[in-house]
């Protein structure tokens, strides 16, 4: 029987990093991301997004900010999904001030704040008992006609 090998690519990398994130193994997600970076080229935006989601699940806001900076250094354009994951990483860390910085960065990057963005930011403000900020975003959500969907 002949052996066959799966050649790592951006799709397999993203899938592996995502799987690690879903089970709270953010360190392993980082290792996979770095391995692909060393072995081939710069990881894809989806690979970084999967690692950022792992950071959010693992409450690793410092690592999320580091990854965002690495993306920028590699000339990868952050997406709304990127920022949503970073914002989610702030939820249980008390880093609510950084939420506003991310929201401003999204606007500066001409990214639309979607229902997931608002929900993540409101959750981070709520967890930090910053109800005025949360109410302000809820009002902005209404003013901008963002319609929550079944996932939000």
């Amino acid at each position: 029987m002949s052996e066959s090998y799966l050649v790592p690519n951006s799709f397999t990398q993203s899938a592996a990093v995502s799987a690690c994130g879903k089970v709270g193994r953010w360190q392993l997600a980082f290792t996979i991301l770095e391995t692909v970076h060393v072995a081939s080229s710069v990881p894809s935006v989806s690979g970084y997004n999967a690692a950022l989601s792992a950071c959010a699940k693992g409450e690793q806001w410092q690592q999320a900010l580091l990854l965002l900076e690495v993306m920028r250094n590699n000339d990868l354009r952050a997406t709304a999904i990127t920022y949503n994951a970073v914002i989610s990483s702030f939820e249980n860390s008390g880093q609510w001030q950084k939420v506003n910085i991310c929201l401003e960065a999204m606007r500066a990057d001409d990214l639309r704040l979607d229902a997931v963005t608002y929900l993540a930011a409101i959750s981070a403000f709520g967890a930090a008992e910053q109800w005025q900020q949360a109410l302000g975003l809820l009002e902005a959500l209404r003013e901008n006609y963002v319609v929550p969907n079944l996932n939000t």
Side-chain angles (χ1 to χ4, degrees):
M1 176 160 81
S2 68
E3 291 185 31
S4 63
Y5 297 95
L6 182 62
V7 178
N9 59 32
S10 62
F11 179 77
T12 56
Q13 169 220 11
S14 296
V17 172
S18 179
C20 292
K22 287 179 181 174
V23 295
R25 300 285 309 270
W26 65 270
Q27 300 98 329
L28 185 54
F30 270 45
T31 300
I32 293 168
L33 194 68
E34 182 61 27
T35 301
V36 170
H37 183 69
V38 169
S40 59
S41 61
V42 175
S44 66
V45 171
S46 61
Y48 277 103
N49 288 347
L52 287 164
S53 293
C55 288
K57 186 169 180 86
E59 300 177 5
Q60 298 296 315
W61 66 271
Q62 299 98 330
Q63 297 298 325
L65 289 176
L66 176 67
L67 272 184
L68 184 59
E69 186 63 29
V70 169
M71 284 182 71
R72 288 183 181 139
N73 291 341
N74 286 318
D75 294 323
L76 292 173
R77 184 166 161 34
T79 65
I81 294 168
T82 306
Y83 283 107
N84 292 345
V86 174
I87 291 168
S88 292
S89 74
F90 300 139
E91 183 173 348
N92 294 314
S93 67
Q95 298 298 317
W96 61 270
Q97 302 93 334
K98 292 179 176 37
V99 172
N100 285 325
I101 295 169
C102 281
L103 295 175
E104 287 304 314
M106 286 182 75
R107 291 180 185 106
D109 287 348
D110 292 323
L111 295 172
R112 183 176 176 275
L113 280 64
D114 60 17
V116 175
T117 307
Y118 281 103
L119 181 64
I122 289 169
S123 293
F125 288 136
E129 298 181 8
Q130 297 298 315
W131 59 270
Q132 297 97 337
Q133 296 278 340
L135 288 176
L137 275 182
L138 192 56
E139 183 61 30
L141 180 86
R142 272 189 286 228
E143 288 173 3
N144 292 312
Y145 303 105
V146 176
V147 180
N149 59 36
L150 291 175
N151 294 324
T152 57

